[in-house]
């Protein structure tokens, strides 16, 4: 593997976990993974996306630092959102005003996610072009789908 890709691959290890966590139910605590396992997952995601997008060495050099910042912002926001939801009652005892407030907060958080995505999409397009930026979303979803399949318990209904 090209050494220019190693650093970005290392930093991208945390991204798949963030997508796996996003796919979980809001009340389900995230799985606890060791630092070495997180690094392994990030490396796998970096390699997957690099291969899927056919990034050149130069594209990878400019893309991965941008993606790392994007992923860190999205992870921080998702963590904030999970923390906020943990304090929210999920049963019928919630008041109308608390429910309305929770809805407004959820929509505001989703808008923040969209704003981050829009801002970084412009940077991605400058770095790797619009075609590869468009393909990035599908590559992320495909990787997360595969990761979730591997993390799913082997109960005869899927997984490996």
């Amino acid at each position: 593997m090209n050494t220019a890709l190693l650093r970005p691959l290392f930093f991208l290890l945390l991204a798949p976990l963030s997508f796996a966590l996003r796919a979980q139910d809001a009340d389900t605590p995230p799985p606890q993974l060791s630092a070495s396992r997180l690094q392994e997952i990030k490396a796998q995601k970096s390699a997957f996306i690099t291969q899927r997008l056919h990034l050149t060495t130069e594209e990878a050099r400019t893309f991965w630092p941008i993606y790392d910042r994007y992923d860190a912002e999205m992870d921080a926001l998702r963590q904030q959102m999970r923390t906020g939801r943990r304090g929210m009652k999920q049963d019928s005892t919630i008041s109308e005003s608390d429910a309305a407030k929770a809805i407004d907060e959820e929509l505001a958080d989703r808008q923040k996610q969209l704003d981050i995505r829009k801002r970084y999409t412009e940077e991605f397009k400058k770095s790797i072009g619009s075609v590869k930026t468009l393909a990035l979303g599908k590559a992320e979803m495909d990787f997360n789908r595969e990761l979730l399949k591997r993390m799913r318990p082997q109960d005869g209904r899927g997984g490996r």
Side-chain angles (χ1 to χ4, degrees), residues 81-156:
M81 290 167 64
R82 278 191 302 275
T83 301
R85 283 190 296 251
R86 281 188 197 121
M88 179 56 60
K89 297 181 226 173
Q90 295 296 322
D91 57 26
S92 61
T93 63
I94 190 170
S95 70
E96 279 295 314
S97 63
D98 285 344
K101 182 181 175 186
I103 291 168
D104 291 344
E105 289 173 358
E106 172 75 15
L107 291 173
D109 287 339
R110 298 229 182 227
Q111 183 63 54
K112 288 176 192 174
Q113 287 179 320
L114 180 60
D115 292 344
I116 292 169
R117 187 167 182 88
K118 285 172 71 174
R119 182 167 27 97
Y120 278 96
T121 295
E122 291 305 312
E123 291 188 54
F124 293 148
K125 289 188 319 189
K126 290 176 187 173
S127 173
I128 61 173
S130 295
V131 172
K132 289 182 181 182
T133 298
L134 182 61
L136 173 61
K138 181 167 180 357
E140 289 173 321
M141 286 190 295
D142 290 348
F143 179 81
N144 293 331
R145 189 175 300 116
E146 290 301 314
L147 178 63
L148 289 172
K149 281 182 191 176
R150 290 190 313 227
M151 295 177 81
R152 189 177 302 141
Q154 295 182 6
D155 60 3

Side-chain angles (χ1 to χ4, degrees), residues 45-56:
K45 183 175 185 181
S46 294
F48 185 91
I49 290 174
T50 297
Q51 183 273 328
R52 184 64 65 93
L53 298 183
H54 306 287
L55 296 180
T56 66

Side-chain angles (χ1 to χ4, degrees), residues 57-90:
T57 301
E58 180 60 25
E59 287 171 333
R61 185 186 66 75
T62 61
F63 170 77
W64 288 115
I66 298 166
Y67 189 88
D68 292 340
R69 290 191 313 271
Y70 162 77
D71 192 51
E73 282 191 46
M74 292 297 274
D75 277 344
L77 181 57
R78 283 188 294 273
Q79 177 62 38
Q80 175 187 340
M81 290 167 64
R82 278 191 302 275
T83 301
R85 283 190 296 251
R86 281 188 197 121
M88 179 56 60
K89 297 181 226 173
Q90 295 296 322

